[in-house]
Structures are given as C-alpha cells and as structure tokens.
Amino acid sequence: MPALQIPYIRNFAPHILSVLRIFAAGSFFTHGTMKLFSWPAPFEYPLNPLLFTAGVLEVVGGLLLVFGLFARPVAFLLSGSMAFAYFIVHSSNGFFPVLNHGEAAMLYCFLFLYISAAGPGVWSLDALRERKAGTTSSRLETAT
C-alpha cells in the first residue's frame, strides 16, 4: 500500500497548476514593474541594458503567463532567463541560494521549466484555444 494518498486531490491537479501559474506569473510580473515603472516600489539598483531587458521579459512574459497565452514557449524562455540571472548575478556570491540571494531566481527557473513541460493548466487562454480548435475540427470531421 502506498504512503499517504489523497486520491480526490488528483482531480484538481490541472486547476491547481493554473493557480500556481497565475500566482507565480503575477509575482514575477511585479519584479518587472519595479524595474521599469518603480511600482509597487522603486528598484534599488541602477537600470542598465541587462536589467532593462530582464524587466521587459518579466512584464511581458509575466502578463502572458498570467493569462496562459503561449505559455509553454514563454515559460521556457523565462526559465532560461532566470537560469541566466542566477548564474550571472547570484552564483558569484557563493554556492548556497539562501546565502547568495538567488532563491527567487532558482525557484522561478524550475517553476517555469515545469510549466513549459506540463502546460498552463485548464484555466488559460491556451486551453481555451485548444478547446475551440477541437470543437472546430470535430465539426469539420462530422461534416465530411
């Protein structure tokens, strides 16, 4: 007999994935708005071209992920940007993420990598587009 299982929770996995995507992307979005718009708080470092690019990726990518539009490629791109951020900015300050202040970058990296593999969940514009495409194709198949 497997260890503790909560069988009914599996039914909610696609919904929980959507909630995880929405909250993570919303939080990620605010990192970009801080850099570009000083909202919800001013960014504490001078904005160089690398940070400006990161801010644009965080705002645009964060919004796309909040809505679940083009989620897989966007999440993959953002995962790579967070890996880049971790190794360029944080890892030079030591090995452990808790000490080099790279925990957020590391967590976003693997969270977005997971979303790129698993998809955005059922509450997303991508899922809506797939349902509509499936409905259209099934209508076409029955008409022929």
Side-chain angles (χ1 to χ4, degrees), residues 37-59:
F37 310 118
S38 294
W39 182 87
F43 191 60
E44 58 187 274
Y45 303 103
L47 206 58
N48 60 37
L50 195 58
L51 286 172
F52 177 79
T53 303
V56 169
L57 285 171
E58 290 162 355
V59 168

Side-chain angles (χ1 to χ4, degrees), residues 97-118:
V98 71
L99 299 178
N100 68 24
H101 305 288
E103 284 179 297
M106 179 191 64
L107 288 171
Y108 280 127
C109 175
F110 285 101
L111 176 62
F112 293 149
L113 185 61
Y114 176 71
I115 291 170
S116 73

Side-chain angles (χ1 to χ4, degrees), residues 3-135:
L4 178 64
Q5 283 191 4
I6 308 171
Y8 63 87
I9 200 81
R10 282 189 195 176
N11 299 335
F12 297 103
H15 303 89
I16 293 169
L17 175 58
S18 291
V19 170
L20 175 67
R21 172 188 48 80
I22 292 165
F23 277 90
S27 175
F28 192 70
F29 171 78
T30 62
H31 286 271
T33 60
M34 279 180 63
K35 288 178 182 79
L36 300 180
F37 310 118
S38 294
W39 182 87
F43 191 60
E44 58 187 274
Y45 303 103
L47 206 58
N48 60 37
L50 195 58
L51 286 172
F52 177 79
T53 303
V56 169
L57 285 171
E58 290 162 355
V59 168
V60 175
L63 274 178
L64 287 170
L65 277 186
V66 163
F67 293 106
L69 184 61
F70 309 116
R72 288 177 190 263
V74 168
F76 188 76
L77 175 71
L78 295 180
S79 174
S81 75
M82 288 295 93
F84 180 80
Y86 182 82
F87 286 108
I88 296 301
V89 177
H90 300 286
S91 68
S92 62
N93 296 323
F95 177 75
F96 296 102
V98 71
L99 299 178
N100 68 24
H101 305 288
E103 284 179 297
M106 179 191 64
L107 288 171
Y108 280 127
C109 175
F110 285 101
L111 176 62
F112 293 149
L113 185 61
Y114 176 71
I115 291 170
S116 73
V122 294
W123 295 330
S124 67
L125 292 177
D126 285 348
L128 181 63
R129 288 182 330 148
E130 286 178 17
R131 285 191 297 270
K132 283 189 176 187
T135 304

